[in-house]
Amino acid sequence: MIPRLHISFSLRNQRVFCFGNGYISKNREYLLNHARSGIVMSLRAALPKGGRVGIVAYNCHTIANAVAQSGCIPIFVDVTEDLRVDMQHLAMLKMDAIIVTNLFGIHNDIVAIQAVQPNAIVIVDNAHGYGLPAEGDFTVYSINQGKFPALGEGGLLWVNTEQYQASIQQQYAALPSYTKSQELKLFMIMLAKAWMHIPWIYGLLTRRIKKHRGKATCREAVALRRMAKGVSRMYQQALPTIAEQIQQQRANAQQMADTLLSKELAEQVWYGDNAFMLIARSDKPEQLSQYFAKNGVESATHFARTIEWAKEFGYTKGQCPMTEKLTKELIMIPTYCHKASLKLKD
């Protein structure tokens, strides 16, 4: 069973992780342990406590957690059928900042969003969108296992507006780095997760464990750190091949999309600029998921509990009707594996 998320790491990566030169950040670029850490820092730099922050309702609870940890209030914004920010809904809301999540690498029109909310700070969340440009006042990226590129516990923050540079620099200077013991612990965790996601182990064991796992904790504090040196080294090595990987993901996604549409297995199929995942819409999502399972590929809803999570941060039913509808109709399929292993059968 090919896992839906790309959790990769092996002993062959040990030399890169433990030795060699790390990535040298560019001007206004900060290396962090998570993309969400960059969101916390950005909000602390740009807004006073109590600020109203728009967030895409179809999302991970980590975004709302970051807003809450910054002392701000999340305001939920609906999406359109193609998972972009609903501009009409956005225009109805009052906010001091907005976190624009480019879901699955689907690019939002940031200039248009700024025109609708001209007084709002714009933080672009590219946790799914590595390869998309740094826009707005701040931009964050993720290189965590399960993201793209799937490297390890890491994120990047770009500061695009000069007036916030000093505050971010001050915050960054105060952040702790990983200790040697923490680096070793991270190495072991990454290796264990990767072993658990080897396809045959995942199909026999890990998937069953995940199915029976209890309810995940929604409210969690973000532990802000600088990026681990080992992850920084892996990122440096991966940079030359990322563009090639994006092209392969796009080819994989298009091949699967053509198959699904030709077999009339989905009403709509699409993917973002970096083809992080293929998105399929169907009125029978369980049937579609079973079809992929028969072909040895895991597929599932992404952020299936998004409304449940949002309710813990003040969301009320009916606020974002399209989000509520899409969480029941969308299936996400991995595109990171080579197309030869994704030949779909009847």
Side-chain angles (χ1 to χ4, degrees):
M1 173 66 71
I2 296 172
R4 180 171 52 97
L5 297 177
H6 192 195
I7 312 292
S8 64
F9 189 71
S10 70
L11 289 175
R12 287 178 297 179
N13 299 118
Q14 179 180 3
R15 182 169 181 80
V16 178
F17 189 91
C18 298
F19 305 100
N21 297 321
Y23 174 71
I24 300 175
S25 60
K26 303 177 182 66
N27 185 35
R28 300 189 183 182
E29 181 187 34
Y30 297 87
L31 308 183
L32 302 166
N33 59 335
H34 295 292
R36 71 196 76 156
S37 297
I39 291 175
V40 173
M41 291 172 63
S42 300
L43 290 173
R44 287 176 175 173
L47 291 183
K49 290 186 177 181
R52 295 166 59 86
V53 180
I55 64 174
V56 176
Y58 197 113
N59 221 322
C60 179
H61 58 78
T62 57
I63 303 299
N65 278 325
V67 173
Q69 187 166 337
S70 304
C72 297
I73 302 167
I75 307 297
F76 295 95
V77 184
D78 208 354
V79 295
T80 57
E81 289 187 318
D82 62 358
L83 291 174
R84 289 181 171 87
V85 171
D86 185 328
M87 303 297 280
Q88 291 185 342
H89 189 218
L90 180 65
M92 297 166 56
L93 301 172
K94 181 180 179 182
M95 58 188 65
D96 303 299
I98 178 170
I99 301 171
V100 181
T101 301
N102 287 323
L103 291 162
F104 312 106
I106 298 170
H107 190 217
N108 281 273
D109 188 338
I110 302 303
V111 173
I113 288 171
Q114 289 172 318
V116 171
Q117 289 282 347
N119 299 317
I121 305 299
V122 176
I123 302 171
V124 177
D125 171 18
N126 275 334
H128 292 176
Y130 192 95
L132 294 179
E135 299 177 283
D137 297 290
F138 305 91
T139 306
V140 295
Y141 299 91
S142 176
I143 56 173
N144 202 358
Q145 285 176 307
K147 299 290 177 59
F148 172 76
L151 298 176
E153 195 170 87
L156 299 98
L157 165 65
W158 277 84
V159 182
N160 307 317
T161 301
E162 176 65 33
Q163 72 182 88
Y164 305 119
Q165 175 73 5
S167 175
I168 294 295
Q169 182 63 46
Q170 185 178 11
Q171 291 184 65
Y172 190 73
L175 290 183
S177 299
Y178 283 71
T179 63
K180 289 184 179 180
S181 62
Q182 288 170 335
E183 288 267 354
L184 177 61
K185 180 181 178 181
L186 177 59
F187 177 91
M188 299 304 297
I189 290 172
M190 288 168 58
L191 185 62
K193 286 171 65 178
W195 274 92
M196 292 288 283
H197 283 76
I198 294 173
W200 71 268
I201 295 178
Y202 188 84
L204 288 175
L205 180 64
T206 314
R207 195 161 181 255
R208 296 181 183 181
I209 293 173
K210 286 173 66 178
K211 273 189 173 182
H212 294 90
R213 188 172 58 187
K215 180 181 176 181
T217 303
C218 179
R219 283 187 174 266
E220 299 173 333
V222 180
L224 281 69
R225 285 196 191 114
R226 300 187 187 189
M227 185 183 291
K229 289 182 179 178
V231 176
S232 171
R233 295 185 186 111
M234 293 178 66
Y235 182 53
Q236 174 67 32
Q237 186 190 52
L239 279 171
T241 64
I242 288 175
E244 183 180 345
Q245 289 178 53
I246 290 175
Q247 291 303 312
Q248 183 64 67
Q249 288 176 179
R250 290 178 66 87
N252 292 348
Q254 190 59 54
Q255 179 259 330
M256 287 188 288
D258 292 343
T259 300
L260 290 177
L261 292 174
S262 66
K263 295 177 180 293
E264 298 183 348
L265 290 169
E267 300 166 18
Q268 185 182 5
V269 184
W270 73 102
Y271 52 91
D273 289 12
N274 65 358
F276 171 59
M277 287 185 183
L278 183 72
I279 306 157
R281 186 176 184 182
S282 171
D283 59 356
K284 298 178 180 178
E286 290 184 5
Q287 181 178 322
L288 185 59
S289 189
Q290 289 171 6
Y291 170 80
F292 273 95
K294 288 179 182 178
N295 283 275
V297 179
E298 183 189 36
S299 61
T301 54
H302 204 85
F303 307 146
R305 293 177 174 174
T306 188
I307 298 301
E308 176 186 331
W309 295 333
K311 286 179 179 178
E312 295 198 29
F313 295 90
Y315 180 90
T316 56
K317 187 175 180 180
Q319 270 185 274
C320 299
M322 183 56 68
T323 296
E324 294 178 16
K325 179 177 174 64
L326 292 179
T327 54
K328 301 173 184 176
E329 298 179 354
L330 299 186
I331 292 291
M332 284 67 182
I333 305 106
T335 59
Y336 61 85
C337 17
H338 191 273
K339 62 183 178 182
S341 63
L342 292 172
K343 291 180 179 177
L344 304 180
K345 303 171 288 189
D346 289 327

